[in-house]
Amino acid sequence: MLSPKSILLHLDSSPQTEQRIKIARHVAEVFDAQVTALYCITAALLRYPFALEGAATALSMMDELDKEAKKSAQATFEKACAGSARLRWSESKNGTGATWEFIRRAFYSDLMILGQQEEGHFLNEELPFDFLTNVLMQSGRPALIVPYVGLSNPIAQTILVAWKPTREAARAVSAALPWLHQAKYVHVVCYGTELQLALEALSVFLKAHGISAILHQGGTESGHAGEHLLSLAADVQADLLIMGCYGHTRARQWVFGGVTHTILRSMTVPVLMVH
């Protein structure tokens, strides 16, 4: 698997944007890549449609909200990219369809860098509640998701791979090969049945790529597998988690599987995911 050369970074005006920019800059330097930083939110008028029925002052206020949000994001971008020529600013062209604009751009990228949304935070209103869900499931591109709690250590020094013999997990491991090559320690955990066979088969695959892994049997895939996975990540001091992204449609909405949902809700380390 070739290392990522074209990276699409999502920008908004949330406080977590600065850290995503710094991570994108670091990843671009490690893999000699270029980053398109796409400022993409839902216009205030669509978030507060009642303004259409108000006076001209209400419409003016919506326009000012958009301008201030963009100004904040631009200032954060200029500060965090630190003059790096690897990052360039870009904006959503239509200013309204944040999700679809980002997915469209993602088709032409090797890697997306996204942020976990903090439940209940007011800045979440800048994006549809299902923004992350739709981007992950419909773009089909690998995504590095950064937790909103922030990071204290460099990423990809100690990597934990959550393995199961599925299409999604296989795609995630393939996308992660450039990261696995550069890691100091690689741990692999498997949940379900015939664990040893699955772990040994993956170990052979990784060794063919020059990667040695420490194997862990996670036990049966119970309803608490997500919590167990996060606990193991803490135990081995992982700074990056690799896993497949599982979900399906229900009533025209994407619904994540149990482990995927738990990780995206409670993640404490960056996660590289692929659907």
Side-chain angles (χ1 to χ4, degrees):
M1 178 69 180
L2 298 175
S3 60
K5 297 299 181 182
S6 175
I7 299 172
L8 182 63
L9 167 66
H10 178 250
L11 300 182
D12 51 31
S13 61
S14 70
Q16 289 76 27
T17 289
E18 181 173 3
Q19 185 149 61
R20 292 203 299 275
I21 298 169
K22 291 179 179 178
I23 289 175
R25 190 183 72 201
H26 171 72
V27 173
E29 290 169 353
V30 169
F31 294 120
D32 190 24
Q34 295 295 315
V35 178
T36 297
L38 178 59
Y39 175 71
C40 196
I41 68 171
T42 301
L45 193 57
L46 292 182
R47 305 200 308 268
Y48 308 109
F50 61 83
L52 286 170
E53 301 175 2
T57 53
L59 297 177
S60 177
M61 286 177 60
M62 297 299 101
D63 187 53
E64 281 301 312
L65 282 175
D66 287 337
K67 289 180 179 178
E68 286 300 315
K70 178 181 172 181
K71 182 178 178 181
S72 173
Q74 282 184 309
T76 300
F77 175 78
E78 294 297 332
K79 175 184 175 183
C81 73
S84 173
R86 295 186 182 277
L87 286 80
R88 68 180 183 88
W89 169 275
S90 182
E91 300 174 24
S92 174
K93 292 182 179 180
N94 56 27
T96 57
T99 302
W100 300 113
E101 174 72 6
F102 198 88
I103 291 171
R104 185 184 67 82
R105 298 282 194 98
F107 291 149
Y108 305 99
S109 302
D110 298 315
L111 174 72
M112 305 180 292
I113 298 182
L114 309 169
Q116 177 198 25
Q117 287 182 276
E118 183 177 2
E119 293 184 9
H121 197 284
F122 75 96
L123 282 174
N124 285 348
E125 295 179 355
E126 287 188 346
L127 296 169
F129 74 93
D130 57 356
F131 175 78
L132 186 60
T133 310
N134 276 302
V135 168
L136 283 171
M137 303 300 283
Q138 302 209 40
S139 70
R141 310 305 294 159
L144 178 64
I145 306 167
V146 182
Y148 64 73
V149 295
L151 306 177
S152 56
N153 300 309
I155 65 171
Q157 299 299 301
T158 301
I159 298 177
L160 174 61
V161 178
W163 175 250
K164 60 190 303 186
T166 64
R167 177 193 64 181
E168 292 84 355
R171 294 187 66 202
V173 170
S174 292
L177 285 176
W179 311 76
L180 295 170
H181 272 295
Q182 301 194 25
K184 292 182 179 179
Y185 305 100
V186 175
H187 296 262
V188 178
V189 62
C190 184
Y191 296 88
T193 59
E194 299 184 339
L195 302 182
Q196 193 61 31
L197 287 175
L199 287 170
E200 289 176 356
L202 181 62
S203 179
V204 170
F205 170 80
L206 292 175
K207 285 180 179 178
H209 287 274
I211 300 165
S212 296
I214 303 166
L215 308 180
H216 303 263
Q217 292 193 27
T220 58
E221 189 174 0
S222 67
H224 300 289
E227 288 86 349
H228 293 162
L229 184 56
L230 289 173
S231 178
L232 179 60
D235 289 343
V236 302
Q237 298 182 314
D239 47 50
L240 180 63
L241 174 62
I242 310 296
M243 62 180 290
C245 177
Y246 302 91
H248 56 87
T249 56
R250 181 188 299 166
R252 291 183 296 180
Q253 287 186 327
W254 286 105
V255 179
F256 281 135
V259 175
T260 304
H261 179 76
T262 297
I263 297 301
L264 289 177
R265 185 187 68 240
S266 306
M267 58 192 288
T268 53
V269 297
V271 180
L272 182 64
M273 276 188 173
V274 188
H275 175 58

